[in-house]
Amino acid sequence: QVQLVESGGGLVQAGGSLRLSCAASGRTFSSYAMGWFRQAPGKEREFVATISKSGGSTYYADSVKGRFTISRDNDKNTVYLQMNSLKPEDTNTYYCAARRLAVRTSAHEYDYWGQGTQVTVSS
């Protein structure tokens, strides 16, 4: 089992940057593919990015491709989401998630979730 804690959210102006972090407990972090998702009130959780166990493969939603970068440090049990050129429509609660085996883009296929961190982008 793994516990996830996100941090790094906040208020930023459009065009600005934020880096989210997700710290995982346990010694088997490198056994999990990791993902970032986001959700607005009343809407379904939306895929943002995912990274394989080794960090060798990454996938992004079209809406963030070229602006966001997912990375991980298995020695620090942490996954990151670097968000650049932020837009007001990026305003959401961002969640990290973990699943064993291969990467997936569907929230339903992830087993563990953090509590979320709020990102607000002002215009």
Side-chain angles (χ1 to χ4, degrees):
Q1 192 164 358
V2 62
Q3 293 182 326
L4 306 171
V5 179
E6 301 98 334
S7 62
L11 173 64
V12 64
Q13 287 189 334
S17 298
L18 281 175
R19 188 175 84 153
L20 305 183
S21 298
C22 174
S25 65
R27 303 183 210 176
T28 59
F29 178 70
S30 59
S31 300
Y32 292 87
M34 300 298 296
W36 285 98
F37 292 79
R38 62 189 184 185
Q39 187 172 24
K43 295 190 176 181
E44 290 193 0
R45 199 159 288 189
E46 174 190 19
F47 167 72
V48 175
T50 185
I51 188 167
S52 61
K53 293 179 287 184
S54 68
S57 297
T58 56
Y59 301 92
Y60 298 91
D62 288 343
S63 59
V64 307
K65 203 172 292 183
R67 300 188 298 122
F68 291 10
T69 302
I70 188 171
S71 62
R72 67 189 296 162
D73 186 335
N74 286 345
D75 291 333
K76 295 183 178 179
N77 284 11
T78 302
V79 62
Y80 305 97
L81 185 68
Q82 177 67 44
M83 305 187 295
N84 298 330
S85 302
L86 282 161
K87 305 175 181 179
E89 51 263 44
D90 294 319
T91 296
N92 268 293
T93 301
Y94 284 72
Y95 299 88
C96 74
R99 74 181 305 274
R100 286 199 176 270
L101 304 177
V103 295
R104 291 289 187 272
T105 60
S106 171
H108 301 293
E109 298 193 80
Y110 282 77
D111 303 308
Y112 305 102
W113 292 86
Q115 82 290 348
T117 186
Q118 178 66 36
V119 171
T120 303
V121 184
S122 63
S123 56

